[in-house]
Amino acid sequence: MKKNILYIAMACFALGFTACSDDPEDAVSKHVYGPDEAPYLRADASASIAYNAEFRKGHIAPKTIYLKDYAEQIQTKMKMTVDDMLAGVESGKVVFYNINTARGIWNKTAPTKGSYGWWYNSAGGVADAGSGIASIELDKAEKALIVSVPEDSPAGIAVAANVGFAIDNGKDFDDYIRFNISMAVTDPGTIIQNIVIPAGDYASYELEFAGIENAINACFGMTSSEFNALVQDPEGDIALYMVDDAGNWDTTSSYTANGIGFWLDASGKVTTWGTDGFTYYVETHDGTVGIGRAPEHPSGMEGKLHFVYANKTDDSQYIEFVINLTLE
């Protein structure tokens, strides 16, 4: 009896080996995703492109991600040129979808902005135009992704979203390129100070650039010394603009004080020296911005001046000053 059991066990063991096969056709086939299913995201760190879109409160303009800048990565991962990829989006050979990184799947939600774009809520989920606070849209004509937030967005908004292009081979989206886009609205460079201007004709309070190094670096990506060197030249890249009560920049007035600077009336509007009502001046000095007084104004007089230093060609780079002043 024991002998029979042993023979049976050996036979089963042998059958177990013969059941194994090296033939790929005998392997368990990969799941084929249907039109209503969300394909899994195949992990591939080298297929991910990180992009940080930072918008400056009050001076918001869309950011453009040109796909041509990533042509080599697209060629490597998609085996096609940017033009071929976009033609594939048109024909359906290539899909353009959101990616849910938390669940590791593609999100096939239909566009909520234009033909190829989406709005997002604060959690980075797809939203509609009414509840969305940021958006990503494919502009096929520009061969670019357009990243934007509403112009009146407050500082503090921070949203992350992932979109990707993938070859639709009828089974999966394993060949893809993905853009991991962080969107934020910041206000890093508003300097609010209460100052006292010393007594004396033409006396000034000198606000040192070195004392606002962090704000200069955040707004212009340079040190206070580099900034100081630039603002010594009235024809250089940095301009000084006065700001009215509604927040509008006066970009048309010529400088009326020394260097990059203005003479101002009591309300902060640009005027000239000696004109009736001239009261204050804002001048760019070496290492400081000087906020000064005209002669014959009484001690205790109070005022407010609002101005910015801004990049002439990119006004999202600026530092803002709100100065509440008292004459000593």
Side-chain angles (χ1 to χ4, degrees):
M1 182 67 179
K2 288 182 180 177
K3 217 179 259 188
N4 290 338
I5 293 173
L6 181 61
Y7 287 141
I8 291 169
M10 290 174 66
C12 291
F13 190 64
L15 286 171
F17 274 110
T18 58
C20 296
S21 170
D22 292 330
D23 188 344
E25 294 299 324
D26 292 336
V28 176
S29 61
K30 190 174 178 180
H31 179 71
V32 176
Y33 292 88
D36 298 324
E37 293 182 282
Y40 84 109
L41 175 69
R42 181 179 64 84
D44 185 356
S46 64
S48 182
I49 296 165
Y51 185 88
N52 183 35
E54 186 172 306
F55 301 91
R56 183 73 187 272
K57 174 191 169 185
H59 285 264
I60 290 173
K63 307 287 186 182
T64 303
I65 306 174
Y66 290 103
L67 298 174
K68 290 283 190 182
D69 292 342
Y70 305 96
E72 184 175 347
Q73 204 165 348
I74 289 169
Q75 179 72 51
T76 300
K77 295 299 175 182
M78 303 279 287
K79 301 298 187 290
M80 56 179 63
T81 65
V82 170
D83 289 338
D84 290 341
M85 184 178 76
L86 294 176
V89 171
E90 188 71 31
S91 68
K93 180 181 177 181
V94 174
V95 297
F96 176 58
Y97 284 133
N98 282 280
I99 295 170
N100 185 326
T101 56
R103 296 179 59 195
I105 60 173
W106 290 80
N107 180 350
K108 297 165 73 173
T109 300
T112 59
K113 183 176 184 184
S115 299
Y116 298 98
W118 295 271
W119 284 99
Y120 302 94
N121 58 29
S122 58
V126 174
D128 58 25
S131 60
I133 61 172
S135 67
I136 302 171
E137 190 172 8
L138 171 62
D139 186 330
K140 290 193 296 183
E142 291 295 321
K143 302 176 184 178
L145 298 177
I146 309 301
V147 184
S148 61
V149 297
E151 290 184 359
D152 59 352
S153 296
I157 285 177
V159 183
N162 281 253
V163 295
F165 299 88
I167 296 174
D168 187 355
N169 60 18
K171 298 183 297 182
D172 53 48
F173 295 164
D174 280 4
D175 297 309
Y176 70 90
I177 196 79
R178 159 184 156 199
F179 289 84
N180 177 8
I181 302 173
S182 299
M183 298 161 276
V185 180
T186 63
D187 189 14
T190 300
I191 309 300
I192 302 174
Q193 286 208 5
N194 299 320
I195 69 170
V196 176
I197 299 178
D201 293 351
Y202 304 109
S204 67
Y205 176 94
E206 300 295 321
L207 196 160
E208 296 184 359
F209 296 137
I212 54 171
E213 178 94 31
N214 290 341
I216 290 172
N217 182 262
C219 297
F220 293 100
M222 64 181 71
T223 66
S224 60
S225 295
E226 292 168 332
F227 176 82
N228 181 60
L230 288 176
V231 294
Q232 301 310 308
D233 179 10
E235 303 301 322
D237 293 335
I238 306 296
L240 174 68
Y241 303 127
M242 300 307 299
V243 182
D244 67 19
D245 291 339
N248 300 308
W249 295 4
D250 178 0
T251 59
T252 59
S253 292
S254 300
Y255 297 132
T256 57
N258 294 321
I260 296 180
F262 296 104
W263 275 102
L264 308 160
D265 65 18
S267 67
K269 290 185 174 60
V270 175
T271 186
T272 56
W273 179 87
T275 301
D276 286 346
F278 82 111
T279 306
Y280 310 113
Y281 64 84
V282 174
E283 284 185 346
T284 307
H285 298 154
D286 187 6
T288 67
V289 53
I291 300 103
R293 61 194 289 173
E296 300 179 0
H297 289 291
S299 176
M301 180 177 172
E302 297 181 345
K304 176 181 176 180
L305 297 179
H306 191 175
F307 56 92
V308 298
Y309 285 98
N311 188 309
K312 291 179 180 178
T313 56
D314 179 5
D315 66 9
S316 69
Q317 295 186 3
Y318 70 95
I319 189 167
E320 182 174 13
F321 296 82
V322 179
I323 305 297
N324 300 304
L325 59 88
T326 301
L327 302 187
E328 187 176 57

